[in-house]
Protein backbone atom coordinates (compact mmCIF):
# COMPACT_ATOMS: atom_id res chain seq x y z
CA UNK A 1 0.00 0.00 0.00
CA UNK A 2 1.66 3.16 -1.19
CA UNK A 3 0.72 6.26 0.72
CA UNK A 4 1.85 9.80 0.29
CA UNK A 5 2.68 11.52 3.55
CA UNK A 6 1.49 14.95 4.49
CA UNK A 7 3.61 17.86 3.44
CA UNK A 8 4.45 20.58 5.90
CA UNK A 9 2.83 23.95 5.29
CA UNK A 10 5.50 26.05 3.56
CA UNK A 11 3.26 29.11 3.20
CA UNK A 12 3.96 30.15 6.79
CA UNK A 13 7.22 31.59 8.14
CA UNK A 14 9.59 29.03 9.67
CA UNK A 15 9.48 30.79 13.02
CA UNK A 16 5.69 30.52 13.15
CA UNK A 17 5.79 26.83 12.28
CA UNK A 18 8.42 26.21 14.97
CA UNK A 19 6.32 28.11 17.51
CA UNK A 20 3.23 26.06 16.68
CA UNK A 21 5.27 22.87 17.03
CA UNK A 22 6.42 23.97 20.49
CA UNK A 23 2.78 24.57 21.48
CA UNK A 24 1.92 21.04 20.35
CA UNK A 25 4.82 19.60 22.34
CA UNK A 26 3.82 21.64 25.41
CA UNK A 27 0.26 20.38 25.05
CA UNK A 28 1.54 16.78 24.95
CA UNK A 29 3.74 17.46 27.99
CA UNK A 30 0.89 18.80 30.11
CA UNK A 31 -1.66 16.06 29.35
CA UNK A 32 0.89 13.39 30.26
CA UNK A 33 1.95 15.27 33.38
CA UNK A 34 -1.69 15.31 34.44
CA UNK A 35 -1.98 11.59 33.72
CA UNK A 36 1.02 10.80 35.91
CA UNK A 37 -0.27 13.10 38.64
CA UNK A 38 -3.93 12.19 38.76
CA UNK A 39 -3.78 8.43 38.30
CA UNK A 40 -1.18 7.63 41.02
CA UNK A 41 -2.88 10.19 43.27
CA UNK A 42 -6.17 8.40 42.64
CA UNK A 43 -4.48 5.19 43.83
CA UNK A 44 -3.22 6.93 46.96
CA UNK A 45 -6.68 8.40 47.63
CA UNK A 46 -8.12 4.88 47.30
CA UNK A 47 -5.55 3.63 49.82
CA UNK A 48 -6.58 6.48 52.13
CA UNK A 49 -10.13 5.14 51.89
CA UNK A 50 -8.91 1.59 52.71
CA UNK A 51 -10.03 0.32 49.30
CA UNK A 52 -8.93 -3.34 48.79
CA UNK A 53 -6.02 -3.90 46.41
CA UNK A 54 -8.27 -5.69 43.93
CA UNK A 55 -10.26 -2.46 43.47
CA UNK A 56 -7.17 -0.65 42.20
CA UNK A 57 -7.49 -2.63 38.98
CA UNK A 58 -11.14 -1.60 38.67
CA UNK A 59 -10.24 2.06 39.18
CA UNK A 60 -7.53 1.80 36.56
CA UNK A 61 -9.96 0.16 34.13
CA UNK A 62 -12.52 2.96 34.68
CA UNK A 63 -10.08 5.24 32.85
CA UNK A 64 -10.60 3.12 29.71
CA UNK A 65 -14.28 2.13 29.65
CA UNK A 66 -15.95 5.19 28.09
CA UNK A 67 -13.02 6.04 25.77
CA UNK A 68 -13.12 2.48 24.46
CA UNK A 69 -16.58 3.14 23.00
CA UNK A 70 -15.79 6.72 21.92
CA UNK A 71 -12.34 6.31 20.37
CA UNK A 72 -13.39 5.75 16.75
CA UNK A 73 -16.03 8.53 16.79
CA UNK A 74 -13.43 10.90 18.25
CA UNK A 75 -10.98 9.95 15.50
CA UNK A 76 -13.66 10.55 12.88
CA UNK A 77 -14.41 13.92 14.49
CA UNK A 78 -10.73 14.86 14.25
CA UNK A 79 -10.77 14.04 10.53
CA UNK A 80 -14.04 15.88 9.91
CA UNK A 81 -13.92 18.92 12.20
CA UNK A 82 -10.19 19.36 12.70
CA UNK A 83 -7.61 18.18 15.17
CA UNK A 84 -7.49 21.40 17.20
CA UNK A 85 -11.20 21.38 18.02
CA UNK A 86 -11.03 17.80 19.28
CA UNK A 87 -7.95 18.56 21.41
CA UNK A 88 -9.65 21.64 22.89
CA UNK A 89 -12.77 19.69 23.84
CA UNK A 90 -10.55 17.07 25.46
CA UNK A 91 -8.73 19.71 27.51
CA UNK A 92 -12.03 21.09 28.83
CA UNK A 93 -13.12 17.60 29.94
CA UNK A 94 -9.76 17.06 31.65
CA UNK A 95 -10.32 20.24 33.65
CA UNK A 96 -13.78 19.06 34.67
CA UNK A 97 -12.33 15.72 35.76
CA UNK A 98 -9.90 17.50 38.07
CA UNK A 99 -12.84 19.24 39.72
CA UNK A 100 -14.62 15.88 39.97
CA UNK A 101 -11.64 14.33 41.78
CA UNK A 102 -11.85 17.16 44.34
CA UNK A 103 -15.61 17.04 44.82
CA UNK A 104 -16.35 13.31 44.42
CA UNK A 105 -13.04 11.78 45.54
CA UNK A 106 -14.28 10.85 49.00
CA UNK A 107 -15.88 7.67 47.70
CA UNK A 108 -14.61 4.91 45.42
CA UNK A 109 -17.56 5.39 43.03
CA UNK A 110 -16.71 9.08 42.74
CA UNK A 111 -13.09 8.22 42.01
CA UNK A 112 -14.19 5.84 39.27
CA UNK A 113 -16.49 8.47 37.73
CA UNK A 114 -13.76 11.15 37.77
CA UNK A 115 -11.30 8.67 36.28
CA UNK A 116 -13.73 7.85 33.45
CA UNK A 117 -14.23 11.56 32.69
CA UNK A 118 -10.48 12.07 32.68
CA UNK A 119 -10.12 9.14 30.27
CA UNK A 120 -12.49 10.77 27.77
CA UNK A 121 -10.69 14.10 27.98
CA UNK A 122 -7.33 12.42 27.66
CA UNK A 123 -8.59 10.60 24.56
CA UNK A 124 -9.60 13.84 22.84
CA UNK A 125 -6.27 15.49 23.60
CA UNK A 126 -4.15 12.55 22.47
CA UNK A 127 -6.05 11.75 19.26
CA UNK A 128 -5.95 15.42 18.27
CA UNK A 129 -2.21 15.64 19.00
CA UNK A 130 -1.26 12.46 17.17
CA UNK A 131 -3.36 13.34 14.12
CA UNK A 132 -1.64 16.74 14.05
CA UNK A 133 1.80 15.13 14.08
CA UNK A 134 0.81 12.72 11.30
CA UNK A 135 -0.80 15.44 9.15
CA UNK A 136 1.96 18.04 9.47
CA UNK A 137 5.01 15.78 8.95
CA UNK A 138 6.56 14.28 5.84
CA UNK A 139 6.48 10.46 6.02
CA UNK A 140 10.28 10.24 5.96
CA UNK A 141 10.35 12.10 9.26
CA UNK A 142 7.70 10.10 11.12
CA UNK A 143 10.10 8.25 13.44
CA UNK A 144 11.79 11.49 14.46
CA UNK A 145 8.53 13.49 14.73
CA UNK A 146 6.74 10.89 16.83
CA UNK A 147 9.93 10.41 18.84
CA UNK A 148 9.97 14.13 19.70
CA UNK A 149 6.24 14.08 20.40
CA UNK A 150 6.53 11.18 22.81
CA UNK A 151 9.70 12.74 24.27
CA UNK A 152 7.58 15.71 25.32
CA UNK A 153 5.05 13.28 26.74
CA UNK A 154 7.82 11.56 28.70
CA UNK A 155 8.96 14.93 30.05
CA UNK A 156 5.47 15.35 31.42
CA UNK A 157 5.64 11.87 32.90
CA UNK A 158 8.72 12.97 34.82
CA UNK A 159 7.20 16.21 36.09
CA UNK A 160 3.97 14.60 37.24
CA UNK A 161 5.48 12.17 39.77
CA UNK A 162 7.80 14.90 41.05
CA UNK A 163 4.74 16.90 42.11
CA UNK A 164 3.60 13.86 44.10
CA UNK A 165 7.09 13.59 45.62
CA UNK A 166 6.99 17.29 46.60
CA UNK A 167 3.70 16.88 48.48
CA UNK A 168 4.41 13.36 49.75
CA UNK A 169 7.80 13.84 51.35
CA UNK A 170 8.66 10.85 53.54
CA UNK A 171 5.03 9.80 54.08
CA UNK A 172 3.79 6.53 52.62
CA UNK A 173 0.52 8.18 51.51
CA UNK A 174 0.65 11.87 50.51
CA UNK A 175 -1.96 14.54 51.17
CA UNK A 176 -4.03 14.11 47.99
CA UNK A 177 -6.26 17.21 48.14
CA UNK A 178 -3.61 19.84 47.26
CA UNK A 179 -2.35 17.58 44.47
CA UNK A 180 -5.84 17.48 42.96
CA UNK A 181 -6.10 21.28 43.32
CA UNK A 182 -2.84 21.90 41.46
CA UNK A 183 -3.99 19.48 38.78
CA UNK A 184 -6.99 21.74 38.12
CA UNK A 185 -4.64 24.70 37.62
CA UNK A 186 -2.46 22.76 35.17
CA UNK A 187 -5.57 21.63 33.28
CA UNK A 188 -6.61 25.27 32.89
CA UNK A 189 -3.27 26.01 31.22
CA UNK A 190 -3.91 23.04 28.92
CA UNK A 191 -7.17 24.62 27.74
CA UNK A 192 -5.37 27.86 26.88
CA UNK A 193 -2.69 26.00 24.91
CA UNK A 194 -5.38 24.12 22.98
CA UNK A 195 -6.54 27.36 21.36
CA UNK A 196 -2.98 27.97 20.07
CA UNK A 197 -2.43 24.57 18.46
CA UNK A 198 -1.58 24.50 14.73
CA UNK A 199 -4.15 23.60 12.11
CA UNK A 200 -3.64 20.29 10.31
CA UNK A 201 -4.93 19.22 6.91
CA UNK A 202 -7.36 16.59 8.19
CA UNK A 203 -10.57 18.33 7.07
CA UNK A 204 -9.36 19.03 3.53
CA UNK A 205 -7.83 15.56 3.15
CA UNK A 206 -10.95 13.87 4.54
CA UNK A 207 -13.05 15.45 1.81
CA UNK A 208 -10.67 14.10 -0.81
CA UNK A 209 -9.75 10.67 0.55
CA UNK A 210 -11.86 9.76 3.57
CA UNK A 211 -14.32 6.91 3.21
CA UNK A 212 -16.38 4.41 5.17
CA UNK A 213 -13.98 1.56 4.41
CA UNK A 214 -10.95 3.37 5.81
CA UNK A 215 -10.67 1.50 9.10
CA UNK A 216 -11.07 -1.88 7.40
CA UNK A 217 -8.40 -0.94 4.88
CA UNK A 218 -6.02 0.01 7.68
CA UNK A 219 -6.64 -3.30 9.47
CA UNK A 220 -5.89 -5.24 6.26
CA UNK A 221 -2.48 -3.61 5.91
CA UNK A 222 0.29 -6.19 6.56
CA UNK A 223 1.84 -5.83 10.01
CA UNK A 224 -0.69 -3.34 11.36
CA UNK A 225 -2.59 -5.88 13.55
CA UNK A 226 0.74 -6.89 15.11
CA UNK A 227 1.60 -3.24 15.70
CA UNK A 228 -1.76 -2.70 17.39
CA UNK A 229 -1.26 -5.69 19.70
CA UNK A 230 2.26 -4.61 20.62
CA UNK A 231 1.07 -1.07 21.32
CA UNK A 232 -1.76 -2.41 23.48
CA UNK A 233 0.47 -4.61 25.65
CA UNK A 234 3.21 -1.99 25.99
CA UNK A 235 0.79 0.71 27.13
CA UNK A 236 -0.92 -1.71 29.52
CA UNK A 237 2.49 -2.49 31.01
CA UNK A 238 3.12 1.23 31.58
CA UNK A 239 -0.32 1.43 33.16
CA UNK A 240 0.36 -1.49 35.49
CA UNK A 241 3.66 0.01 36.63
CA UNK A 242 1.95 3.35 37.24
CA UNK A 243 -0.83 1.83 39.36
CA UNK A 244 0.91 -1.06 41.13
CA UNK A 245 4.34 0.40 41.91
CA UNK A 246 2.74 2.58 44.64
CA UNK A 247 0.99 -0.56 45.94
CA UNK A 248 4.28 -2.49 45.90
CA UNK A 249 5.97 0.38 47.74
CA UNK A 250 3.24 0.42 50.38
CA UNK A 251 3.61 -3.34 50.90
CA UNK A 252 7.36 -2.88 51.46
CA UNK A 253 7.17 0.30 53.52
CA UNK A 254 8.76 2.58 50.89
CA UNK A 255 8.00 6.30 51.25
CA UNK A 256 5.71 7.85 48.64
CA UNK A 257 8.51 10.27 47.76
CA UNK A 258 10.76 7.32 46.88
CA UNK A 259 8.06 5.86 44.64
CA UNK A 260 7.65 9.24 42.96
CA UNK A 261 11.38 9.37 42.23
CA UNK A 262 11.32 5.80 40.83
CA UNK A 263 8.45 6.70 38.51
CA UNK A 264 10.41 9.78 37.44
CA UNK A 265 13.45 7.60 36.65
CA UNK A 266 11.23 5.50 34.39
CA UNK A 267 10.08 8.68 32.65
CA UNK A 268 13.64 9.99 32.18
CA UNK A 269 14.66 6.71 30.54
CA UNK A 270 11.68 6.87 28.19
CA UNK A 271 12.71 10.42 27.28
CA UNK A 272 16.17 9.22 26.29
CA UNK A 273 14.87 6.48 24.02
CA UNK A 274 12.41 8.82 22.32
CA UNK A 275 14.67 11.82 21.86
CA UNK A 276 17.06 9.76 19.73
CA UNK A 277 14.47 7.39 18.27
CA UNK A 278 15.01 8.50 14.67
CA UNK A 279 18.74 7.77 14.85
CA UNK A 280 18.24 4.51 16.72
CA UNK A 281 15.67 3.27 14.20
CA UNK A 282 17.94 4.20 11.30
CA UNK A 283 20.95 2.47 12.86
CA UNK A 284 19.29 -0.70 14.16
CA UNK A 285 16.10 -1.04 12.14
CA UNK A 286 12.58 -0.43 13.42
CA UNK A 287 11.55 -4.04 13.88
CA UNK A 288 14.74 -5.14 15.64
CA UNK A 289 14.68 -2.08 17.86
CA UNK A 290 11.10 -2.76 18.89
CA UNK A 291 11.68 -6.47 19.64
CA UNK A 292 14.89 -6.01 21.63
CA UNK A 293 13.63 -3.07 23.68
CA UNK A 294 10.33 -4.77 24.55
CA UNK A 295 11.95 -8.06 25.61
CA UNK A 296 14.56 -6.22 27.71
CA UNK A 297 11.86 -4.27 29.52
CA UNK A 298 9.97 -7.53 30.17
CA UNK A 299 13.03 -9.08 31.83
CA UNK A 300 13.56 -5.98 33.99
CA UNK A 301 9.89 -5.86 34.99
CA UNK A 302 9.99 -9.52 36.03
CA UNK A 303 12.96 -8.79 38.31
CA UNK A 304 11.50 -5.60 39.83
CA UNK A 305 9.30 -7.25 42.53
CA UNK A 306 12.25 -9.23 43.93
CA UNK A 307 13.67 -8.08 47.31
CA UNK A 308 16.25 -5.65 45.93
CA UNK A 309 17.89 -2.47 47.26
CA UNK A 310 16.28 0.77 46.11
CA UNK A 311 19.21 1.74 43.88
CA UNK A 312 18.98 -1.54 41.97
CA UNK A 313 15.20 -1.14 41.67
CA UNK A 314 15.92 2.28 40.17
CA UNK A 315 18.23 0.69 37.59
CA UNK A 316 15.48 -1.77 36.63
CA UNK A 317 12.97 1.08 36.29
CA UNK A 318 15.43 2.80 33.96
CA UNK A 319 15.57 -0.29 31.71
CA UNK A 320 11.78 -0.62 31.83
CA UNK A 321 11.31 3.02 30.90
CA UNK A 322 13.83 2.93 28.05
CA UNK A 323 12.36 -0.25 26.57
CA UNK A 324 8.70 0.71 26.88
CA UNK A 325 9.46 4.21 25.60
CA UNK A 326 10.27 2.84 22.15
CA UNK A 327 7.03 0.94 21.55
CA UNK A 328 4.51 3.78 21.37
CA UNK A 329 6.20 6.14 18.86
CA UNK A 330 7.20 3.28 16.55
CA UNK A 331 3.66 1.91 16.37
CA UNK A 332 2.39 5.45 15.75
CA UNK A 333 4.81 5.77 12.83
CA UNK A 334 3.58 2.46 11.36
CA UNK A 335 -0.03 3.61 11.51
CA UNK A 336 0.70 7.08 10.15
CA UNK A 337 2.41 5.54 7.12
CA UNK A 338 -0.37 3.01 6.57
CA UNK A 339 -3.25 5.51 6.59
CA UNK A 340 -3.95 8.19 3.97
CA UNK A 341 -4.13 11.80 5.24
CA UNK A 342 -7.93 11.84 5.39
CA UNK A 343 -8.04 8.83 7.70
CA UNK A 344 -5.19 9.45 10.09
CA UNK A 345 -7.41 10.60 12.92
CA UNK A 346 -9.27 7.31 12.63
CA UNK A 347 -5.99 5.39 12.39
CA UNK A 348 -4.75 6.90 15.63
CA UNK A 349 -8.11 6.33 17.29
CA UNK A 350 -8.00 2.69 16.14
CA UNK A 351 -4.72 2.39 18.00
CA UNK A 352 -6.42 3.96 21.01
CA UNK A 353 -9.19 1.34 20.82
CA UNK A 354 -6.57 -1.39 21.11
CA UNK A 355 -4.80 0.47 23.90
CA UNK A 356 -7.99 1.06 25.84
CA UNK A 357 -9.01 -2.58 25.41
CA UNK A 358 -5.74 -3.58 27.01
CA UNK A 359 -6.19 -1.00 29.75
CA UNK A 360 -9.66 -2.36 30.43
CA UNK A 361 -8.95 -6.09 30.41
CA UNK A 362 -5.38 -6.35 31.68
CA UNK A 363 -5.71 -4.21 34.85
CA UNK A 364 -9.02 -5.93 35.67
CA UNK A 365 -7.32 -9.30 35.39
CA UNK A 366 -4.42 -7.86 37.39
CA UNK A 367 -6.83 -6.93 40.15
CA UNK A 368 -7.88 -10.58 40.45
CA UNK A 369 -4.21 -11.60 40.61
CA UNK A 370 -3.52 -8.94 43.26
CA UNK A 371 -6.21 -10.41 45.48
CA UNK A 372 -4.15 -13.61 45.77
CA UNK A 373 -0.53 -12.72 44.97
CA UNK A 374 -0.33 -8.99 45.67
CA UNK A 375 1.38 -6.34 43.56
CA UNK A 376 4.38 -8.59 42.85
CA UNK A 377 2.19 -11.19 41.15
CA UNK A 378 0.64 -8.51 38.95
CA UNK A 379 4.05 -7.28 37.80
CA UNK A 380 5.27 -10.82 37.06
CA UNK A 381 2.18 -11.60 34.97
CA UNK A 382 2.57 -8.32 33.08
CA UNK A 383 6.22 -9.10 32.37
CA UNK A 384 5.28 -12.43 30.78
CA UNK A 385 2.73 -10.77 28.53
CA UNK A 386 5.24 -8.09 27.57
CA UNK A 387 7.81 -10.69 26.62
CA UNK A 388 5.26 -12.43 24.41
CA UNK A 389 4.39 -9.14 22.69
CA UNK A 390 8.06 -8.42 22.06
CA UNK A 391 8.63 -11.77 20.38
CA UNK A 392 5.42 -11.35 18.36
CA UNK A 393 6.87 -8.09 17.04
CA UNK A 394 9.20 -10.13 14.84
CA UNK A 395 6.27 -10.50 12.42
CA UNK A 396 6.15 -6.75 11.80
CA UNK A 397 7.51 -5.51 8.45
CA UNK A 398 11.06 -4.22 8.78
CA UNK A 399 10.28 -1.03 6.85
CA UNK A 400 6.52 -0.36 6.68
CA UNK A 401 5.14 1.81 3.96
Amino acid sequence: MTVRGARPDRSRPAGMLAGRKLVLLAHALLIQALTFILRPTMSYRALELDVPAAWLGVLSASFAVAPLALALPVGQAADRFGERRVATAGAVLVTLSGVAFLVLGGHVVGLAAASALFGIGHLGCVVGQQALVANTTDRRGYATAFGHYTFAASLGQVGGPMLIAAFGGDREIPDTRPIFMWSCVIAGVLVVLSTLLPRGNAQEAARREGGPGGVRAILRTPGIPNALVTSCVVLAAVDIVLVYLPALGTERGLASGTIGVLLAVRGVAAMGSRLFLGRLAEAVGRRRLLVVSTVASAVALFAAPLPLPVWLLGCLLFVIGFGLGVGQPLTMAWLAEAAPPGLRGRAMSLRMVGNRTGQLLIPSAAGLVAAGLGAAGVLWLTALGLGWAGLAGRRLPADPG
Side-chain angles (χ1 to χ4, degrees):
M1 180 176 179
T2 302
V3 179
R4 291 180 300 171
R7 295 182 180 181
D9 186 355
R10 302 187 185 281
S11 63
R12 299 178 181 178
M16 180 182 296
L17 293 175
R20 294 290 188 176
K21 179 180 178 181
L22 288 177
V23 171
L24 174 58
L25 295 180
H27 199 273
L29 185 155
L30 287 186
I31 188 60
Q32 292 303 321
L34 285 167
T35 303
F36 277 66
I37 293 169
L38 286 174
R39 302 198 67 203
T41 304
M42 177 188 68
S43 296
Y44 280 123
R45 173 62 67 87
L47 293 172
E48 281 182 329
L49 299 174
D50 294 324
V51 171
W55 268 92
L56 291 177
V58 176
L59 288 173
S60 179
S62 67
F63 175 75
V65 174
L68 180 61
L70 296 175
L72 288 177
V74 168
Q76 187 173 10
D79 289 332
R80 183 177 179 182
F81 301 111
E83 307 92 335
R84 183 166 65 181
R85 290 180 179 177
V86 169
T88 301
V92 172
L93 291 177
V94 166
T95 305
L96 293 177
S97 74
V99 176
F101 275 116
L102 274 173
V103 176
L104 306 176
H107 305 279
V108 66
V109 176
L111 287 175
S115 178
L117 184 60
F118 178 65
I120 299 171
H122 178 273
L123 172 70
C125 289
V126 170
V127 169
Q129 293 164 3
Q130 293 175 9
L132 271 175
V133 175
N135 286 323
T136 57
T137 305
D138 186 271
R139 61 174 298 176
R140 291 172 296 182
Y142 277 146
T144 298
F146 280 110
H148 289 170
Y149 165 72
T150 52
F151 169 80
S154 297
L155 188 59
Q157 293 169 9
V158 172
M162 294 310 293
L163 181 64
I164 297 175
F167 281 98
D170 58 357
R171 292 177 292 182
E172 292 186 12
I173 298 179
D175 185 359
T176 56
R177 184 171 180 80
I179 300 177
F180 285 140
M181 293 180 63
W182 275 103
S183 298
C184 292
V185 175
I186 297 172
V189 176
L190 185 70
V191 174
V192 174
L193 285 178
S194 299
T195 64
L196 303 176
L197 286 171
R199 292 182 182 272
N201 65 353
Q203 291 173 278
E204 179 183 354
R207 288 194 292 268
R208 295 196 314 265
E209 303 183 50
V215 171
R216 292 192 296 271
I218 294 169
L219 286 173
R220 289 195 297 266
T221 304
I224 291 303
N226 297 100
L228 291 173
V229 170
T230 301
S231 176
C232 165
V233 176
V234 167
L235 186 63
V238 174
D239 213 46
I240 291 295
V241 171
L242 181 64
V243 172
Y244 279 94
L245 191 62
L248 182 68
T250 302
E251 290 176 3
R252 298 190 175 177
L254 296 177
S256 60
T258 301
I259 297 299
V261 171
L262 289 173
L263 288 173
V265 166
R266 190 214 64 81
V268 168
M271 288 169 56
S273 66
R274 291 167 172 179
L275 182 60
F276 302 105
L277 181 64
R279 295 180 182 179
L280 287 172
E282 184 178 351
V284 179
R286 294 186 190 180
R287 182 175 59 190
R288 182 179 301 173
L289 178 61
L290 183 63
V291 171
V292 172
S293 61
T294 305
V295 171
S297 61
V299 173
L301 184 60
F302 194 86
L306 300 176
L308 302 170
V310 173
W311 68 267
L312 187 52
L313 183 59
C315 293
L316 291 176
L317 263 294
F318 186 90
V319 174
I320 292 168
F322 192 94
L324 296 182
V326 167
Q328 297 304 307
L330 282 187
T331 54
M332 290 178 201
W334 259 296
L335 285 171
E337 285 188 299
L343 295 174
R344 285 178 181 147
R346 273 162 277 192
M348 295 304 166
S349 66
L350 182 63
R351 174 179 166 274
M352 295 296 291
V353 168
N355 288 350
R356 289 294 190 266
T357 301
Q359 287 181 303
L360 176 62
L361 297 180
I362 295 177
S364 297
L368 297 177
V369 173
L373 299 178
V378 173
L379 296 178
W380 283 328
L381 183 63
T382 304
L384 293 176
L386 192 60
W388 169 82
L391 295 177
R394 293 179 298 176
R395 293 192 293 270
L396 287 167
D399 187 12

PDB file of all heavy atoms in Angstrom, residues 57-69:
ATOM      1  N   GLY A  57      -7.355  -2.251  40.377  1.00  0.00           N
ATOM      2  CA  GLY A  57      -7.491  -2.628  38.978  1.00  0.00           C
ATOM      3  C   GLY A  57      -8.783  -2.106  38.373  1.00  0.00           C
ATOM      4  O   GLY A  57      -8.813  -1.678  37.212  1.00  0.00           O
ATOM      5  N   VAL A  58      -9.861  -2.120  39.152  1.00  0.00           N
ATOM      6  CA  VAL A  58     -11.141  -1.604  38.669  1.00  0.00           C
ATOM      7  C   VAL A  58     -11.048  -0.098  38.426  1.00  0.00           C
ATOM      8  O   VAL A  58     -11.541   0.421  37.413  1.00  0.00           O
ATOM      9  CB  VAL A  58     -12.266  -1.926  39.674  1.00  0.00           C
ATOM     10  CG1 VAL A  58     -13.584  -1.300  39.235  1.00  0.00           C
ATOM     11  CG2 VAL A  58     -12.418  -3.437  39.826  1.00  0.00           C
ATOM     12  N   LEU A  59     -10.411   0.621  39.353  1.00  0.00           N
ATOM     13  CA  LEU A  59     -10.245   2.063  39.180  1.00  0.00           C
ATOM     14  C   LEU A  59      -9.402   2.382  37.953  1.00  0.00           C
ATOM     15  O   LEU A  59      -9.689   3.319  37.210  1.00  0.00           O
ATOM     16  CB  LEU A  59      -9.603   2.676  40.429  1.00  0.00           C
ATOM     17  CG  LEU A  59     -10.488   2.765  41.669  1.00  0.00           C
ATOM     18  CD1 LEU A  59      -9.673   3.237  42.870  1.00  0.00           C
ATOM     19  CD2 LEU A  59     -11.661   3.706  41.417  1.00  0.00           C
ATOM     20  N   SER A  60      -8.365   1.590  37.739  1.00  0.00           N
ATOM     21  CA  SER A  60      -7.534   1.797  36.563  1.00  0.00           C
ATOM     22  C   SER A  60      -8.329   1.537  35.290  1.00  0.00           C
ATOM     23  O   SER A  60      -8.228   2.272  34.307  1.00  0.00           O
ATOM     24  CB  SER A  60      -6.312   0.871  36.617  1.00  0.00           C
ATOM     25  OG  SER A  60      -5.509   1.040  35.472  1.00  0.00           O
ATOM     26  N   ALA A  61      -9.156   0.489  35.304  1.00  0.00           N
ATOM     27  CA  ALA A  61      -9.960   0.155  34.128  1.00  0.00           C
ATOM     28  C   ALA A  61     -11.015   1.223  33.848  1.00  0.00           C
ATOM     29  O   ALA A  61     -11.400   1.432  32.692  1.00  0.00           O
ATOM     30  CB  ALA A  61     -10.625  -1.202  34.318  1.00  0.00           C
ATOM     31  N   SER A  62     -11.504   1.927  34.888  1.00  0.00           N
ATOM     32  CA  SER A  62     -12.522   2.956  34.677  1.00  0.00           C
ATOM     33  C   SER A  62     -12.003   4.072  33.774  1.00  0.00           C
ATOM     34  O   SER A  62     -12.791   4.753  33.109  1.00  0.00           O
ATOM     35  CB  SER A  62     -12.966   3.536  36.020  1.00  0.00           C
ATOM     36  OG  SER A  62     -11.920   4.268  36.647  1.00  0.00           O
ATOM     37  N   PHE A  63     -10.699   4.258  33.734  1.00  0.00           N
ATOM     38  CA  PHE A  63     -10.078   5.237  32.849  1.00  0.00           C
ATOM     39  C   PHE A  63     -10.315   4.883  31.385  1.00  0.00           C
ATOM     40  O   PHE A  63     -10.297   5.754  30.511  1.00  0.00           O
ATOM     41  CB  PHE A  63      -8.580   5.288  33.168  1.00  0.00           C
ATOM     42  CG  PHE A  63      -7.761   6.173  32.270  1.00  0.00           C
ATOM     43  CD1 PHE A  63      -7.804   7.554  32.405  1.00  0.00           C
ATOM     44  CD2 PHE A  63      -6.922   5.636  31.315  1.00  0.00           C
ATOM     45  CE1 PHE A  63      -7.036   8.367  31.597  1.00  0.00           C
ATOM     46  CE2 PHE A  63      -6.145   6.437  30.501  1.00  0.00           C
ATOM     47  CZ  PHE A  63      -6.199   7.810  30.643  1.00  0.00           C
ATOM     48  N   ALA A  64     -10.549   3.586  31.087  1.00  0.00           N
ATOM     49  CA  ALA A  64     -10.600   3.116  29.706  1.00  0.00           C
ATOM     50  C   ALA A  64     -11.986   2.786  29.204  1.00  0.00           C
ATOM     51  O   ALA A  64     -12.176   2.647  27.999  1.00  0.00           O
ATOM     52  CB  ALA A  64      -9.711   1.867  29.572  1.00  0.00           C
ATOM     53  N   VAL A  65     -12.982   2.660  30.082  1.00  0.00           N
ATOM     54  CA  VAL A  65     -14.282   2.128  29.655  1.00  0.00           C
ATOM     55  C   VAL A  65     -14.963   3.038  28.635  1.00  0.00           C
ATOM     56  O   VAL A  65     -15.261   2.622  27.508  1.00  0.00           O
ATOM     57  CB  VAL A  65     -15.204   1.907  30.865  1.00  0.00           C
ATOM     58  CG1 VAL A  65     -16.598   1.506  30.409  1.00  0.00           C
ATOM     59  CG2 VAL A  65     -14.633   0.829  31.773  1.00  0.00           C
ATOM     60  N   ALA A  66     -15.262   4.283  29.012  1.00  0.00           N
ATOM     61  CA  ALA A  66     -15.951   5.189  28.089  1.00  0.00           C
ATOM     62  C   ALA A  66     -15.119   5.504  26.843  1.00  0.00           C
ATOM     63  O   ALA A  66     -15.645   5.479  25.726  1.00  0.00           O
ATOM     64  CB  ALA A  66     -16.353   6.472  28.817  1.00  0.00           C
ATOM     65  N   PRO A  67     -13.818   5.798  26.972  1.00  0.00           N
ATOM     66  CA  PRO A  67     -13.020   6.043  25.774  1.00  0.00           C
ATOM     67  C   PRO A  67     -12.972   4.861  24.813  1.00  0.00           C
ATOM     68  O   PRO A  67     -12.790   5.044  23.610  1.00  0.00           O
ATOM     69  CB  PRO A  67     -11.623   6.349  26.342  1.00  0.00           C
ATOM     70  CG  PRO A  67     -11.895   6.879  27.692  1.00  0.00           C
ATOM     71  CD  PRO A  67     -13.062   6.090  28.195  1.00  0.00           C
ATOM     72  N   LEU A  68     -13.121   3.645  25.335  1.00  0.00           N
ATOM     73  CA  LEU A  68     -13.122   2.481  24.455  1.00  0.00           C
ATOM     74  C   LEU A  68     -14.261   2.570  23.450  1.00  0.00           C
ATOM     75  O   LEU A  68     -14.095   2.257  22.271  1.00  0.00           O
ATOM     76  CB  LEU A  68     -13.251   1.201  25.293  1.00  0.00           C
ATOM     77  CG  LEU A  68     -13.278  -0.117  24.525  1.00  0.00           C
ATOM     78  CD1 LEU A  68     -11.990  -0.301  23.742  1.00  0.00           C
ATOM     79  CD2 LEU A  68     -13.495  -1.275  25.489  1.00  0.00           C
ATOM     80  N   ALA A  69     -15.434   3.016  23.887  1.00  0.00           N
ATOM     81  CA  ALA A  69     -16.583   3.144  22.997  1.00  0.00           C
ATOM     82  C   ALA A  69     -16.498   4.398  22.131  1.00  0.00           C
ATOM     83  O   ALA A  69     -17.053   4.437  21.030  1.00  0.00           O
ATOM     84  CB  ALA A  69     -17.872   3.166  23.817  1.00  0.00           C
TER      85      ALA A  69
END
